[in-house]
Amino acid sequence: MYLLNVKTYRLESTDVIGPTAYAILSHRWDSANEVLYQDMTGAEDEIEKKMRKKSGFAKVEGACKQAEKDGFGHIWIDTCCIDKSSSAELSEAINSMYKYYQDAQICYAYLASLPNDTDPRTDSAFADHEWFERGWTLQELIAPREVIFYTDASESGENNHHRQSDWIELGHKSMLCQRLSQITGIDEGILSHSDEIQSISIAKRMSWAARRKTTRIEDRAYSLLGLFDVNMPMIYGEGPKAFIRLQEEIMKHSSDESLFAWRDDNADPHTSAGLLANSPGMFRDSGEFFDYNEWEPRTPFFSTNRGVQITLHLRLVGVNEYVAALNCPQPSRTDGFVGIRLMKLTAFEGANHAGPHDQYVRVGTCRLLALGSVVDRGTPTTIYIRKTAKLSSSHTVHPEQVLQLRDGPGPEQGYRLHTTMGTKAKTALRVGNQSWIDANLTSAFEVTKKKNCLAAVVVFKRSDNTAFTILLGSGSHPGDVEVHILDEYDQDRNFGEWALMYKPQPCGFMELKHGHISVNVKWKVVYDTKYFLVDINLRVSRR
């Protein structure tokens, strides 16, 4: 850790000078004009020149002056005390940042450009300052024992004799806890240090960060490490994955299920999602949730390569759809339980039966549900819930793959299913009304696990012998199905000859002589088999 000597403006390592009392600065970055670590290295006269060229030096000078006035020989300022060209040093600093602020004897919060006569207890200018909107300043407000708020002396006015580096004191955190709580949503007990931060639920701590912003998206996660007492490596460029990693680290140390009590107001009710939130913003309205104390036996939950393995009480509410109860109270209440909706993706234990190996996703994330009592929760079941919204790719290859006709045109459209060719599958799903398929025709076919291989020939014919042929099989990937539509049919061709003609294309539609046809394929995994369910839609033109 490097500290800035308030008299010489030289960086001094604590490895050399040993433990020492220091002040610390909290401020809003001006990325173009800050005094950086590189400006503090070199010959003493060169350092002076480099620093004074930047407008940010007035802030450094003001902080050093204030620290010296308060009896401190050193101060820590993030802009110039971290060598950000060293990824190792940057990672160490970010992981230690909360402790840096916690160990400081005093923290100066610099709120630039406020009027000199600002009253922090009443003036909206104080509450609306951007310092309260930034991600990093959240821990910088919470961690220190004391924070003194300052602004720079106004340069306006005929009688102003202050220089820009002179600061005006606005107030102390210890005397403003109620006001700061109103501005930030942070509990007064946390601000006054009468309560331990670990006593606050995960959801509530996340809610404090929900409306805050950072320049780098990864910093929305990295700036919260100290609040949850976790550590993890910095990987700038990973984007939203950083927040997923943060939640995974939290799970290793906490059994608080309010971590999952988030909602996405902008989500489509039918869109699937993972168990973990994509950003702190999804906890915007989760500040009232708390984790029930250990009142019943609970199984640890943890991250696996199949998702989060967790034991939840499940209640079936629809086809493969469940409500899962979390161990925290229902929304806007202090009793009952909060519920989240889950959809089962697999059927290892059969349809509408929750089994220990099944995998789920969250659905309906735009709202949280209220469960009134213990008996409303359903049956405790150990399951896997995907961590993120990304579903398995249609390209995945399974031990058995079956192409099955599901929906097709009825006789009122003038065409009937004339014939099918292909290797009959050993299994098939029950897919509803299939009156359009003659009982003597094969409707489920084996799909080879090779690229660009024909699996089925499907022929439709009219009474005037007009016909079209649909060739279905694997595409550019063996775990996918594509199509080739021909506005013709040659009854003399065998399956091998059709296979030579097969030129797979992504499913879609094709214009015919008497209308157009569309082919859509949906896939579903049951046990070890991946079923490609084929829907054929025909629109016939009026003659």
Side-chain angles (χ1 to χ4, degrees):
M1 179 184 187
Y2 286 103
L3 294 173
L4 184 64
N5 187 304
V6 300
K7 294 181 179 179
T8 66
Y9 296 115
R10 297 303 299 261
L11 292 175
E12 298 176 358
S13 173
T14 54
D15 292 339
V16 176
I17 64 174
T20 185
Y22 64 92
I24 200 165
L25 178 66
S26 174
H27 63 111
R28 171 75 171 96
W29 272 55
D30 179 0
S31 57
N33 294 295
E34 295 290 353
V35 177
L36 304 178
Y37 175 88
Q38 286 72 23
D39 299 322
M40 312 297 289
T41 58
E44 192 165 341
D45 57 338
E46 292 177 358
I47 292 175
E48 187 83 7
K49 291 177 183 178
K50 286 189 288 185
M51 286 194 304
R52 293 187 179 279
K53 284 181 180 178
K54 293 190 171 182
S55 59
F57 175 70
K59 180 168 51 178
V60 172
E61 186 180 32
C64 288
K65 278 186 176 182
Q66 190 61 51
E68 186 175 10
K69 186 187 300 184
D70 292 337
F72 298 105
H74 295 85
I75 189 169
W76 190 87
I77 302 175
D78 57 353
T79 51
C80 58
C81 291
I82 305 173
D83 181 3
K84 296 177 181 64
S85 66
S86 167
S87 58
E89 184 171 331
L90 177 61
S91 182
E92 179 183 355
I94 290 177
N95 276 280
S96 305
M97 193 84 69
Y98 191 90
K99 183 170 173 50
Y100 288 174
Y101 281 87
Q102 196 173 44
D103 290 348
Q105 271 57 51
I106 193 71
C107 175
Y108 304 135
Y110 176 70
L111 280 61
S113 305
L114 284 177
N116 295 169
D117 58 352
T118 297
D119 185 344
R121 292 176 176 81
T122 57
D123 288 355
S124 60
F126 178 78
D128 294 340
H129 195 276
E130 63 177 348
W131 188 87
F132 291 105
E133 299 174 353
R134 306 307 299 177
W136 289 104
T137 56
L138 174 60
Q139 66 176 2
E140 295 164 12
L141 174 62
I142 292 173
R145 275 280 166 189
E146 183 63 283
V147 177
I148 306 177
F149 294 92
Y150 291 92
T151 189
D152 46 328
S154 172
E155 293 181 340
S156 61
E158 294 179 4
N159 298 320
N160 178 51
H161 60 278
H162 294 288
R163 292 187 303 166
Q164 191 178 3
S165 61
D166 292 327
W167 286 3
I168 303 296
E169 183 179 319
L170 300 174
H172 290 61
K173 178 176 81 166
S174 57
M175 304 299 292
L176 295 169
C177 287
Q178 183 178 16
R179 174 63 163 160
L180 292 171
S181 179
Q182 293 170 348
I183 295 170
T184 63
I186 302 170
D187 296 37
E188 287 187 53
I190 297 300
L191 294 170
S192 66
H193 291 261
S194 59
D195 293 334
E196 293 289 336
I197 194 167
Q198 299 304 325
S199 69
I200 303 299
S201 73
I202 300 296
K204 175 172 276 194
R205 277 180 272 174
M206 287 292 189
S207 74
W208 299 340
R211 293 172 173 82
R212 291 177 176 257
K213 306 169 188 174
T214 58
T215 303
R216 299 287 297 269
I217 190 170
E218 296 88 353
D219 285 337
R220 296 203 75 182
Y222 302 160
S223 62
L224 300 178
L225 294 178
L227 264 66
F228 297 103
D229 195 22
V230 298
N231 299 99
M232 64 186 203
M234 308 297 103
I235 310 175
Y236 282 103
E238 67 177 324
K241 289 181 181 178
F243 191 63
I244 299 296
R245 285 202 299 126
L246 171 65
Q247 293 168 91
E248 291 174 333
E249 288 299 320
I250 291 171
M251 282 194 291
K252 294 177 183 178
H253 304 278
S254 173
S255 61
D256 183 354
E257 292 178 11
S258 74
L259 174 63
F260 314 124
W262 54 268
R263 74 174 194 230
D264 183 358
D265 292 334
N266 299 317
D268 186 298
H270 305 292
T271 299
S272 59
L275 183 61
L276 305 182
N278 290 331
S279 78
M282 293 182 176
F283 290 89
R284 182 181 297 263
D285 300 313
S286 299
E288 298 304 315
F289 290 120
F290 55 86
D291 186 53
Y292 284 134
N293 198 13
E294 300 291 344
W295 64 282
E296 65 177 353
R298 295 168 66 186
T299 304
F301 54 84
F302 51 90
S303 178
T304 77
N305 57 8
R306 297 200 69 235
V308 177
Q309 181 179 311
I310 187 169
T311 301
L312 296 173
H313 286 75
L314 299 184
R315 181 160 55 87
L316 182 68
V317 294
V319 178
N320 285 329
E321 190 172 323
Y322 297 80
V323 170
L326 301 179
N327 194 47
C328 44
Q330 56 186 307
S332 304
R333 297 280 294 274
T334 57
D335 60 354
F337 298 86
V338 64
I340 58 175
R341 288 173 57 205
L342 300 176
M343 183 180 69
K344 188 170 69 166
L345 297 178
T346 55
F348 298 131
E349 303 295 325
N352 295 332
H353 181 81
H357 303 292
D358 282 317
Q359 196 176 46
Y360 295 72
V361 289
R362 272 192 71 171
V363 292
T365 56
C366 52
R367 60 190 289 254
L368 294 168
L369 307 177
L371 305 176
S373 67
V374 171
V375 295
D376 291 335
R377 296 185 300 165
T379 305
T381 310
T382 301
I383 58 176
Y384 295 90
I385 308 176
R386 292 183 187 274
K387 290 178 285 188
T388 61
K390 185 178 179 181
L391 295 176
S392 288
S393 167
S394 61
H395 291 337
T396 55
V397 179
H398 288 251
E400 300 294 333
Q401 299 190 144
V402 173
L403 186 150
Q404 183 172 348
L405 303 180
R406 182 169 61 176
D407 290 330
E412 69 278 2
Q413 292 176 286
Y415 282 88
R416 65 179 179 84
L417 183 59
H418 174 67
T419 190
T420 62
M421 300 181 199
T423 302
K424 186 176 181 179
K426 298 172 185 174
T427 62
L429 297 177
R430 297 180 63 181
V431 291
N433 180 22
Q434 290 197 300
S435 59
W436 61 284
I437 303 176
D438 189 286
N440 296 320
L441 297 178
T442 299
S443 61
F445 310 86
E446 290 184 1
V447 180
T448 184
K449 290 181 277 293
K450 293 182 180 180
K451 294 190 293 184
N452 303 321
C453 288
L454 183 66
V457 179
V458 180
V459 180
F460 287 87
K461 206 171 187 181
R462 285 167 36 130
S463 56
D464 63 359
N465 288 327
T466 300
F468 63 88
T469 304
I470 302 174
L471 305 180
L472 293 155
S474 60
S476 57
H477 191 281
D480 207 354
V481 161
E482 295 187 352
V483 65
H484 181 186
I485 304 173
L486 299 165
D487 201 357
E488 62 169 298
Y489 169 58
D490 185 343
Q491 63 182 4
D492 295 328
R493 288 196 187 111
N494 59 34
F495 186 84
E497 291 171 323
W498 284 112
L500 293 174
M501 297 181 63
Y502 177 55
K503 295 180 175 58
Q505 298 291 328
C507 295
F509 74 94
M510 175 182 174
E511 293 291 338
L512 302 173
K513 295 173 184 175
H514 302 296
H516 76 262
I517 184 172
S518 65
V519 178
N520 296 299
V521 177
K522 303 290 185 182
W523 56 273
K524 181 178 183 179
V525 176
V526 180
Y527 301 106
D528 64 345
T529 303
K530 183 176 185 179
Y531 291 90
F532 298 95
L533 303 176
V534 181
D535 297 328
I536 301 169
N537 298 297
L538 179 66
R539 181 177 298 174
V540 180
S541 302
R542 294 181 180 179
R543 302 184 68 180

